[in-house]
């Protein structure tokens, strides 16, 4: 029954016979292909999709390879500075190794403009060769009554394209009088401006001491726990704990102390910089933000 219907449809002279229409389309495509005049859109789309897929795959593979290389070089740099006490104890061979590792990392970011959005945040010092910082470490190493804890740089430049504010934060202490390592905070504030793609100029504004945390031994000396604490002793404790002092570095009518710094590498978890004029190099890693 069905075979007879199909045979009848095939012999029908109607132009709209589906079997005849299919035969005509096939004959037309065959003719056009033989004469190089037919390029089905579906084949073009498939070919373009295939080429785009290969290109994207190659680009992704290349980017992944570069990203792995950068992370490996950054690890080598951090490993090189690990046992130097942030730059205080280094041999000539170590300094050479650190410089070589630093240059390797810098090469991956050469020529690109600084992204102030990535710069914004808190950075912890891991290594430096800057004399003005090393003198703090040397003093702490030779003076029994002085300690230097963590050193940070805090940048405030989110949603900016011309500069911002930077704060150099130094945690320090006097043993037995203040808490270990973080008994007080030395804060040096500066405004900075972006003078080129990689250079920032700092204008120092203020130096202050704050966040005094006196030791338990000193608290016991001022206000012994076994004796009634007098109003005077409590006032002394409160004064010491809330004490802060500020010194303006920049005076009206006078040019402030400043410095030019070259930010040689920056990503979301590492910052490398050099003080222009032989002021030393710096290696920072991203740290958790904190309130001063």
């Amino acid at each position: 029954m069905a075979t007879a219907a199909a045979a009848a449809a095939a012999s029908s002279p109607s132009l709209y016979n589906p079997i005849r229409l299919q035969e005509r389309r096939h004959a037309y495509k065959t003719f056009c292909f033989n004469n190089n005049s037919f390029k089905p859109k579906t084949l073009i789309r498939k070919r373009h999709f295939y080429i785009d897929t290969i290109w994207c795959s190659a680009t992704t593979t290349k980017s992944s390879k570069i990203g792995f290389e950068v992370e490996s070089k950054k690890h080598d740099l951090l490993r090189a500075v690990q046992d130097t006490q942030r730059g205080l104890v280094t041999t000539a061979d170590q300094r050479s190794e650190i410089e070589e590792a630093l240059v390797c990392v810098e090469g991956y970011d050469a020529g690109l403009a600084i992204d102030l959005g990535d710069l914004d945040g808190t950075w912890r010092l891991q290594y430096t060769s800057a004399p003005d910082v090393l003198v703090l470490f040397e003093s702490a190493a030779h003076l029994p009554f002085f300690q230097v804890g963590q050193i940070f740089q805090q940048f405030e430049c989110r949603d900016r394209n011309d500069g911002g504010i930077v704060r150099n934060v130094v945690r320090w202490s006097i043993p037995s009088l203040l808490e270990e390592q973080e008994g007080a905070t030395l804060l040096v504030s500066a405004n900075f401006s972006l003078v080129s793609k990689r250079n920032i100029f700092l204008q120092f504004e203020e130096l202050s001491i704050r966040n005094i945390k006196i030791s338990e031994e000193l608290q016991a000396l001022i206000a012994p726990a076994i004796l009634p604490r007098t109003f005077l002793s409590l006032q002394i404790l409160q004064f010491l704990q809330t004490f802060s002092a500020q010194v303006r570095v920049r005076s009206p009518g006078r040019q402030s102390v400043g410095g030019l710094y070259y930010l040689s590498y920056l990503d979301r978890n590492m910052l490398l910089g050099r003080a222009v004029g032989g002021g030393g190099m710096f290696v920072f890693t991203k740290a958790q933000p904190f309130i001063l």
Side-chain angles (χ1 to χ4, degrees), residues 35-36 105 130 145 176 193 236 240 246 275 282:
N35 290 275
N36 297 321
V105 177
F145 54 85
S176 300
S193 56
I236 294 174
L240 292 175
Q246 295 84 30
F282 300 87

Side-chain angles (χ1 to χ4, degrees), residues 61 73 79 83 88 121 126 162 166 176 183-184 205 218 220 226 240 248 252 257 283:
T61 302
K73 296 300 183 183
R79 185 173 55 188
D83 298 323
L88 175 63
Q126 301 291 346
D162 57 346
V166 59
S176 300
E205 300 287 336
L218 182 58
I226 60 175
L240 292 175
R248 294 287 298 177
V257 179
V283 177

